[in-house]
Amino acid sequence: MKIMKSAAAFAIAIALSASAFADEAYDVVKKFTDLAVPECSKAQMFLEIRNKNGAVETREMIEYGIHEDLTNVVFDIQKDSTKKYSGVRVLQAEKTNKEDDRWIYEPSLRNVRRIQTGERSGSFVGCEFTYNDMTIRKVDEDKHEMINANASITVNGTKYDCWQIKSIPVKKNDIEYGHRICWYDKKTYLPVQMEYYDKKNEKQKMKTFIIEKIENVKGVTGKPYVLRRSCLITNHLTGRSTRVSVKSFEFDNDKTVNKKLFTTNWLMTGK
């Protein structure tokens, strides 16, 4: 009887420990998703897309953002070395308790259309980021599991002390991967490395995302932010990679960001 009680106590302790790790994983991811963002932002961004044979394509775009209760973001593709995506504009509008809205203007078609859920796993303007990658997932969209609360990883020559967490999408049909493993930096809460794994073969790594450069910056009002200055995503299935870097930015300057930017009319006209 004493042995049985001891075994039961051990099982309960294990269960409580697992629950605590799950809570800790959730809390870490939530702190990342709750990181301060500017009330409004404008950033000049550069995309470098490298094929497995070494050929390079480039895109230049402006990203506009506004954050009140919810976050709206617009991407305006201004230059494209292939000419295919020049003039494309994409709007992402966050919604409460329902799927976010996403719209695209394609100059060749001269119309604005809604990006359907099934399309969001597709390539964003021909790069290795998908439309899903261009937004931060809400913490409750995934189930989170702590793999290692005292992990360390070196990314682009910088060593980070991290939480290593596995995140599994709740709605598996809405996302292109089965799960991801992230290393969250204990100083900034940023996921300095993320690995995406296949739905059918959980050992098959599909893509790896890293933050190459982090900067502490300030908006025009002096409020501090953590900026992901340069990021790289590598597709292990295609051999392609995309680097996105922030060339310049203005945070919290409401003179540079107008609410009309976040409308389908502006997508169509640019005015």
Side-chain angles (χ1 to χ4, degrees), residues 83-107:
K83 310 298 183 184
K84 184 177 180 180
Y85 299 99
S86 297
V88 169
R89 303 185 185 102
V90 177
L91 167 64
Q92 298 183 164
E94 186 180 10
K95 300 296 182 182
T96 302
N97 298 325
K98 63 179 181 178
E99 187 176 75
D100 297 347
D101 270 341
R102 302 183 196 185
W103 302 83
I104 185 170
Y105 168 69
E106 298 170 288

Side-chain angles (χ1 to χ4, degrees), residues 135-170:
T135 187
I136 294 175
R137 289 177 62 78
K138 298 178 177 68
V139 64
D140 291 319
E141 290 181 311
D142 301 307
K143 295 179 180 179
H144 308 285
E145 173 190 337
M146 182 68 70
I147 297 176
N148 188 347
N150 296 289
S152 65
I153 193 170
T154 299
V155 179
N156 202 35
T158 300
K159 184 177 180 180
Y160 297 94
D161 293 323
C162 299
W163 294 279
Q164 185 184 12
I165 294 172
K166 180 178 181 179
S167 297
I168 304 171
V170 174

Side-chain angles (χ1 to χ4, degrees), residues 218-225 251-253:
K218 291 183 179 179
V220 297
T221 61
K223 188 175 180 179
Y225 301 102
F251 291 164
D252 297 328
N253 184 356

Side-chain angles (χ1 to χ4, degrees), residues 2-263:
K2 289 183 179 180
I3 293 176
M4 291 180 65
K5 286 184 177 179
S6 177
F10 180 74
I12 291 171
I14 290 294
L16 290 174
S17 176
S19 177
F21 271 121
D23 290 343
E24 183 180 8
Y26 180 93
D27 290 342
V28 169
V29 178
K30 190 170 192 313
K31 285 182 179 179
F32 161 60
T33 61
D34 289 346
L35 285 175
V37 296
E39 291 184 5
C40 57
S41 62
K42 177 183 178 182
Q44 184 77 39
M45 307 179 78
F46 185 80
L47 276 68
E48 180 185 78
I49 304 157
R50 188 175 298 273
N51 295 327
K52 63 179 180 180
N53 61 5
V56 175
E57 301 174 8
T58 60
R59 318 264 193 271
E60 293 182 34
M61 67 182 183
I62 295 180
E63 178 189 32
Y64 298 96
I66 188 168
H67 178 78
E68 293 175 332
D69 292 329
L70 301 172
T71 298
N72 291 345
V73 177
V74 162
F75 300 96
D76 183 9
I77 312 302
Q78 299 194 315
K79 294 182 181 180
D80 169 26
S81 62
T82 70
K83 310 298 183 184
K84 184 177 180 180
Y85 299 99
S86 297
V88 169
R89 303 185 185 102
V90 177
L91 167 64
Q92 298 183 164
E94 186 180 10
K95 300 296 182 182
T96 302
N97 298 325
K98 63 179 181 178
E99 187 176 75
D100 297 347
D101 270 341
R102 302 183 196 185
W103 302 83
I104 185 170
Y105 168 69
E106 298 170 288
S108 60
L109 301 177
R110 296 186 179 181
N111 72 347
V112 175
R113 65 177 182 83
R114 190 173 187 271
I115 301 172
Q116 301 298 325
T117 301
E119 298 179 81
R120 298 178 186 186
S121 297
S123 170
F124 173 80
V125 295
C127 77
E128 293 314 297
F129 290 95
T130 67
Y131 287 99
N132 287 325
D133 292 329
M134 302 306 291
T135 187
I136 294 175
R137 289 177 62 78
K138 298 178 177 68
V139 64
D140 291 319
E141 290 181 311
D142 301 307
K143 295 179 180 179
H144 308 285
E145 173 190 337
M146 182 68 70
I147 297 176
N148 188 347
N150 296 289
S152 65
I153 193 170
T154 299
V155 179
N156 202 35
T158 300
K159 184 177 180 180
Y160 297 94
D161 293 323
C162 299
W163 294 279
Q164 185 184 12
I165 294 172
K166 180 178 181 179
S167 297
I168 304 171
V170 174
K171 295 182 179 180
K172 297 181 179 180
N173 292 334
D174 293 348
I175 205 75
E176 63 271 18
Y177 55 85
H179 72 273
R180 68 185 192 276
I181 295 177
C182 306
W183 284 258
Y184 290 90
D185 173 36
K186 289 190 175 183
K187 290 183 178 179
T188 63
Y189 287 93
L190 290 177
V192 291
Q193 180 162 311
M194 294 191 290
E195 297 176 345
Y196 300 80
Y197 289 83
D198 188 70
K199 287 182 178 181
K200 295 181 179 180
N201 180 2
E202 63 178 19
K203 294 183 179 180
Q204 174 65 60
K205 190 188 301 182
M206 298 171 59
K207 296 189 295 186
T208 298
F209 167 92
I210 64 171
I211 301 178
E212 296 182 304
K213 188 176 182 181
I214 298 172
E215 286 186 10
N216 293 310
V217 301
K218 291 183 179 179
V220 297
T221 61
K223 188 175 180 179
Y225 301 102
V226 181
L227 175 66
R228 290 169 282 183
R229 175 68 80 167
S230 177
C231 301
L232 176 70
I233 190 165
T234 302
N235 189 320
H236 302 292
L237 304 180
T238 66
R240 287 164 50 94
S241 66
T242 298
R243 173 175 286 109
V244 57
S245 52
V246 179
K247 296 302 182 183
S248 63
F249 65 90
E250 292 182 80
F251 291 164
D252 297 328
N253 184 356
D254 57 10
K255 295 180 180 179
T256 63
V257 181
N258 192 304
K259 289 186 178 181
K260 70 179 182 180
L261 292 165
F262 309 98
T263 63

